[in-house]
Amino acid sequence: HVQLVESGGDSVEAGGSLRLSCVVSGYFSKRCMAWFRQAPGKEREGVARIATGSGNTYYADSVKGRFTISQDNAKNTVYLQISSLTPEDTAVYSCAARTPGSCDGLWSRPWRYNYWGQGTQVTVS
């Protein structure tokens, strides 16, 4: 049984930083892991992805330079480090997994993923 559990969301002031975690349980072969966010009234947006086999990463233009996705295979955890937070970053952040499979040019499309976490709220004021 595959599960993704996010944590680390919080209410922070603009300019602050957060690290979100996504713990993966269940057997996973090679997969693509991604972080999405959804603000009230807006569509879900893919912000970063990592290919767990190679460690290759890719970011949405809107977050380049501020967001960093990483993984700790020993802990079965994928992280999203967010810095220089602005109120526009306020959203529910969710991690997603595509497995079996690998990352491709459609990585930012939510329908590309078959497992999702429940999300963690980030509020920036």
Side-chain angles (χ1 to χ4, degrees):
H1 179 61
V2 174
Q3 278 192 312
L4 308 178
V5 180
E6 304 97 332
S7 63
D10 204 351
S11 295
V12 298
E13 293 186 352
S17 299
L18 281 176
R19 188 177 78 161
L20 308 182
S21 300
C22 173
V23 178
V24 180
S25 63
Y27 175 73
F28 268 62
S29 61
K30 183 178 66 171
R31 62 193 185 271
C32 182
M33 297 291 298
W35 282 94
F36 286 77
R37 66 181 180 183
Q38 188 166 23
K42 294 189 176 181
E43 292 187 355
R44 186 172 285 181
E45 175 190 21
V47 295
R49 64 87 168 151
I50 186 166
T52 61
S54 66
N56 178 265
T57 60
Y58 199 85
Y59 300 90
D61 288 341
S62 58
V63 305
K64 277 182 183 176
R66 296 193 303 118
F67 286 26
T68 303
I69 189 170
S70 62
Q71 62 181 347
D72 184 333
N73 290 332
K75 295 182 178 179
N76 287 334
T77 301
V78 175
Y79 302 100
L80 186 69
Q81 180 73 40
I82 310 173
S83 61
S84 303
L85 281 157
T86 73
E88 288 69 37
D89 294 318
T90 295
V92 175
Y93 286 73
S94 301
C95 65
R98 178 171 178 248
T99 185
S102 58
C103 296
D104 58 23
L106 299 176
W107 71 268
S108 64
R109 306 296 199 270
W111 54 262
R112 201 71 172 139
Y113 299 85
N114 48 346
Y115 296 101
W116 289 83
Q118 83 289 349
T120 186
Q121 176 71 48
V122 172
T123 303
V124 185
S125 59

